[in-house]
Amino acid sequence: MRWLISLITLLTLTFAAQAEEAIVLGLSQDQVAITAQFDGSDILIFGAVKREVAIPESDLNVIIAIEGPTGPVEVRRKERRFGIWMNGATLEVERAPAFYAVASSAPLEDILRRIENERYAITIDKAIQSVSATVAFGNTQAFTDALMRIQANNGSYQLLEDAVKVDQQTLFRASIALPSNLTEGDYNARIFLLRDGNVVADMTTIIDVRKVGLERFLFNLAQDQAPIYGLLSIVIAVFCGWGASALFRLIRDG
C-alpha cells in the first residue's frame, strides 16, 4: 500500500511540474494572402513563459515547428538506361508536409531527447510518415533523404538552429521565412518549451494561407468549372497571339 501512495505522490508531483510553465504566444500575422505579386513572407513568432513558481535552475530552450498541408508524395530515382537518363524505381511516401520549418534556441541534438522527438515528431524526418508502397529494389531511406534534400533546396524544408532568441528564460522570438511557392491550406505552428531535453509545455496555433483576388477566382474556376476555364484559357491565348502579331506588324510597317 505504501508503494501505491508513493506512486500517486510521484505522479501528482510530475503533473504539477508540467503545469508550472505555460506559453503565451503572439504572431505578427495569422493569415497569409497569396496574390499575383506574392514573393514570400516572414512570420514573426514571439511569446512569453507564464509561471506560477520561481524560474527553475535548468536552462530554458524553445523549439518552433511550422508544418504545411500534408499528403502523399511520389519520389522517383533517375537511372541511366541505354545511354539516357530515365525515371527508375519509385517510392510513394504516405504522408509528407508541403512545408516544414524547425527553429530552435540551440542545436537540436543538444536540447531535445530522442524519446521526446519520437513522442512529438518535431524534426523534419519525423514529420515524414512511413511509405505506403516500397520500391522493387534499393534503399528506401535514400528516397526519403532525397525528398528532404530537394525540399530543402527550394526552401520548403528549413532547419534553423540557434534562430530562436530567449531572453531571461521568459521571452522568446523567432522569424521564419515562408517561400513564394507556398501550398494553400492551414499551417500548424507548434511551440515547445524544453528543460534538460524534456518538453515541459507546448501549444499549437493555426496560420491560414489562402489565395485571394484573381488567383482565388482562377483557382475556383479551374476546380469547379473546368470547361469554362479551358475555354477562357484558349480565348486569352488567341487574343494575346493576335495582339502580339498586330504589334510586330505595326512596328515593321512603321
Side-chain angles (χ1 to χ4, degrees):
M1 189 65 179
R2 181 177 299 175
W3 69 267
L4 181 58
I5 296 175
S6 300
L7 178 59
I8 294 175
T9 303
L10 178 60
L11 291 175
T12 302
L13 292 175
T14 301
F15 292 143
Q18 291 178 347
E20 287 179 354
E21 296 180 300
I23 301 171
V24 180
L25 184 67
L27 299 173
S28 60
Q29 54 180 325
D30 57 8
Q31 294 182 332
V32 176
I34 301 177
T35 64
Q37 292 77 33
F38 182 77
D39 59 353
S41 180
D42 290 334
I43 297 290
L44 176 62
I45 301 175
F46 55 93
V49 181
K50 180 181 178 181
R51 299 184 180 91
E52 301 295 338
V53 295
I55 298 177
E57 294 182 359
S58 58
D59 291 335
L60 173 72
N61 284 286
V62 179
I63 298 177
I64 299 173
I66 298 182
E67 180 179 7
T70 61
V73 177
E74 281 192 352
V75 183
R76 295 182 175 87
R77 181 169 61 192
K78 293 289 186 179
E79 297 177 352
R80 191 174 182 84
R81 298 179 181 176
F82 309 108
I84 60 175
W85 289 99
M86 304 175 58
N87 288 331
T90 300
L91 180 76
E92 183 178 336
V93 177
E94 184 176 356
R95 179 180 178 273
F99 174 85
Y100 201 88
V102 180
S104 60
S105 57
L108 291 177
E109 63 179 9
D110 296 338
I111 63 173
L112 178 63
R113 294 179 61 196
R114 181 175 180 179
I115 189 172
E116 293 290 83
N117 189 26
E118 294 286 349
R119 178 182 178 186
Y120 292 96
I122 296 174
T123 57
I124 296 174
D125 59 312
K126 300 302 179 183
I128 300 176
Q129 298 298 316
S130 59
V131 297
S132 59
T134 58
V135 293
F137 57 90
N139 180 15
T140 58
Q141 182 61 41
F143 287 79
T144 303
D145 294 341
L147 172 62
M148 292 190 294
R149 183 174 62 253
I150 293 171
Q151 293 291 70
N153 289 338
N154 63 28
S156 296
Y157 287 178
Q158 304 175 21
L159 176 59
L160 309 169
E161 294 180 319
D162 297 313
V164 181
K165 306 303 179 184
V166 180
D167 296 329
Q168 300 178 356
Q169 296 204 58
T170 301
L171 304 176
F172 63 87
R173 67 189 183 278
S175 180
I176 297 179
L178 304 180
S180 58
N181 58 345
L182 284 181
T183 299
E184 185 180 36
D186 292 335
Y187 284 58
N188 292 322
R190 298 184 296 157
I191 297 84
F192 303 92
L193 303 183
L194 301 99
R195 291 189 184 277
D196 296 324
N198 298 311
V199 175
V200 296
D202 68 287
M203 73 171 300
T204 302
T205 188
I206 301 295
I207 301 173
D208 186 31
V209 178
R210 303 292 172 188
K211 295 182 176 70
V212 298
L214 180 60
E215 285 69 25
R216 165 57 56 187
F217 169 76
L218 293 177
F219 178 81
N220 290 339
L221 187 64
Q223 297 295 318
D224 302 332
Q225 302 290 339
I228 297 178
Y229 177 81
L231 181 61
L232 180 61
S233 300
I234 295 174
V235 171
I236 293 176
V238 171
F239 177 78
C240 291
W242 174 83
S245 177
L247 178 61
F248 288 133
R249 186 165 55 251
L250 180 63
I251 295 174
R252 183 191 60 190
D253 295 341

